[in-house]
Amino acid sequence: MNELPLVDLDAFAMVAHERSFRAAARKRGVSASSLSEAVRRLEERLGVRLLNRTTRSVTATEAGTRLLERLTAPLGEIASALDQVNNFRDSPIGTLRLNVPGIVAREILPPLVSRFLKTHPGITLEVMAEDGLVDVLAEGFDAGIRYEERIERDMIAIPVGPRVQRYITAAAPGYLDAHGVPGHPRDILEHTCIRHRFTHGVSLAWEFGNGEETITITPPACLIANTIDLEIGVAVAGLGIIRTFEEFLMPSIRNGDLVPILDAWTTEFSGPFLYYASRRHMPAPLRAFVDFLKVEQRQQAS
């Protein structure tokens, strides 16, 4: 039997692991048809079916399962070896895949990413923005960005972006003129509010603190959405009170469309962290991003 192309073996391993040509194609940044052709070539050369394909699923045959068991470790070692060579470049090449919350993608990453990519033009950055809890490694990401309470304890975490952020409360001037200005968080229970629902389906209660007292309420809502632009638009239209990240609301506050309320009950919390699994050989694009963030934090502190 002629030598088997490594690219076809790698394509088979990725599809078998993902149990989907489309999912494997997304992670590889190629077309599903190219992966299908690679697996077909491999099966023809081996003379055995490796994957059972239906319109809904892809599963490894017994032969495919045995092959995948033997391939996983060697392919991992090859990828690691190639990546170690990457470290000798002045600027590494490759793809860095990050999973981040919407607030980070919209308000924190743009200036950081711009500076990072100018410094490392050989790196392609893939960013998936979602607010739900994600197993970044299982989903094929190199690292994630989350807030401290959502980071697994066995992960390495380094600061990214501002070290303090705030949740503030606001409403349109017309709404406050018509319904009055709440003087205490409990007064909000007599108002109509605009609440956020995360992608995993949870709409969190509103928590307020003034340094001496903590109050948690679940206010009545005229809108519950997972799109911040819609939420702000409804608040600006005067339909209710909104509470969210300060960064989201400040443009509307500056131009007078919204007015901050309950300033004494603003909630402060630590900024986000980049987190990743401890590895003996860190991929070169991730190492470059970690080093870049460390320099950024030192410059902010100086």
Side-chain angles (χ1 to χ4, degrees), residues 9 15 35 41 50 57 64 86 110 113 148 179 200 219 253 260 296:
L9 291 169
V15 173
L35 292 182
R41 286 195 304 265
L50 299 173
S57 66
N86 205 6
V113 164
E148 193 169 10
H179 301 279
H200 56 282
I253 290 173
E296 288 277 319

Side-chain angles (χ1 to χ4, degrees), residues 43-75:
E43 289 178 328
E44 285 187 355
R45 298 188 71 169
L46 291 175
V48 63
R49 179 175 289 276
L50 299 173
L51 297 175
N52 289 318
R53 309 157 175 83
T54 70
T55 56
R56 294 187 177 183
S57 66
V58 176
T59 58
T61 63
E62 182 177 356
T65 300
R66 297 287 180 85
L67 179 60
L68 182 63
E69 290 173 352
R70 299 296 298 271
L71 282 178
T72 300
L75 288 175

Side-chain angles (χ1 to χ4, degrees), residues 37-279:
E37 178 62 21
V39 172
R40 184 193 63 77
R41 286 195 304 265
L42 185 61
E43 289 178 328
E44 285 187 355
R45 298 188 71 169
L46 291 175
V48 63
R49 179 175 289 276
L50 299 173
L51 297 175
N52 289 318
R53 309 157 175 83
T54 70
T55 56
R56 294 187 177 183
S57 66
V58 176
T59 58
T61 63
E62 182 177 356
T65 300
R66 297 287 180 85
L67 179 60
L68 182 63
E69 290 173 352
R70 299 296 298 271
L71 282 178
T72 300
L75 288 175
E77 287 298 318
I78 291 171
S80 179
L82 293 174
D83 200 67
Q84 287 298 298
V85 174
N86 205 6
N87 288 323
F88 288 92
R89 297 176 180 271
D90 292 335
S91 179
I93 63 172
T95 300
L96 173 61
R97 299 176 179 86
L98 300 178
N99 186 286
V100 309
I103 175 67
V104 172
R106 177 170 170 168
E107 302 293 337
I108 295 175
L109 276 188
L112 287 173
V113 164
S114 298
R115 292 192 292 271
F116 175 70
L117 292 178
K118 286 178 182 178
T119 305
H120 298 286
I123 292 177
T124 298
L125 182 62
E126 294 183 7
V127 177
M128 173 67 73
E130 56 183 328
D131 293 323
L133 296 176
V134 175
D135 184 335
V136 294
L137 296 182
E139 293 296 322
F141 297 98
D142 298 298
I145 296 179
R146 286 296 184 272
Y147 289 86
E148 193 169 10
E149 70 276 8
R150 296 190 176 187
I151 297 175
E152 297 293 335
R153 297 306 173 191
D154 59 348
M155 292 285 185
I156 297 173
I158 65 170
V160 53
R163 297 327 308 139
V164 177
Q165 289 184 265
R166 306 198 311 163
Y167 253 66
I168 64 173
T169 313
Y175 177 88
L176 297 175
D177 290 343
H179 301 279
V181 180
H184 189 278
R186 292 194 185 94
D187 296 340
I188 290 181
L189 293 172
E190 305 301 322
H191 287 259
T192 301
C193 296
I194 297 148
R195 291 166 52 197
H196 184 77
R197 185 186 301 280
F198 292 97
T199 51
H200 56 282
V202 175
S203 179
L204 298 179
W206 288 6
E207 184 175 296
F208 298 83
N210 64 358
E212 298 178 357
E213 183 182 10
T214 299
I215 295 172
T216 301
I217 63 171
T218 302
C222 67
L223 173 71
I224 300 175
N226 68 348
T227 305
I228 190 62
D229 291 327
L230 174 60
E231 296 162 38
I232 294 173
V234 170
V236 167
L239 295 176
I241 295 172
I242 187 170
R243 180 171 171 81
T244 186
F245 288 94
E246 182 178 39
E247 292 90 341
F248 283 154
L249 299 183
M250 282 309 299
S252 297
I253 290 173
R254 290 192 189 101
N255 64 25
D257 288 337
L258 293 176
V259 176
I261 60 175
L262 297 173
D263 288 343
W265 295 88
T266 294
T267 301
E268 290 191 349
F269 50 92
S270 63
F273 292 81
L274 177 84
Y275 70 101
Y276 54 94
S278 176
R279 301 177 183 175

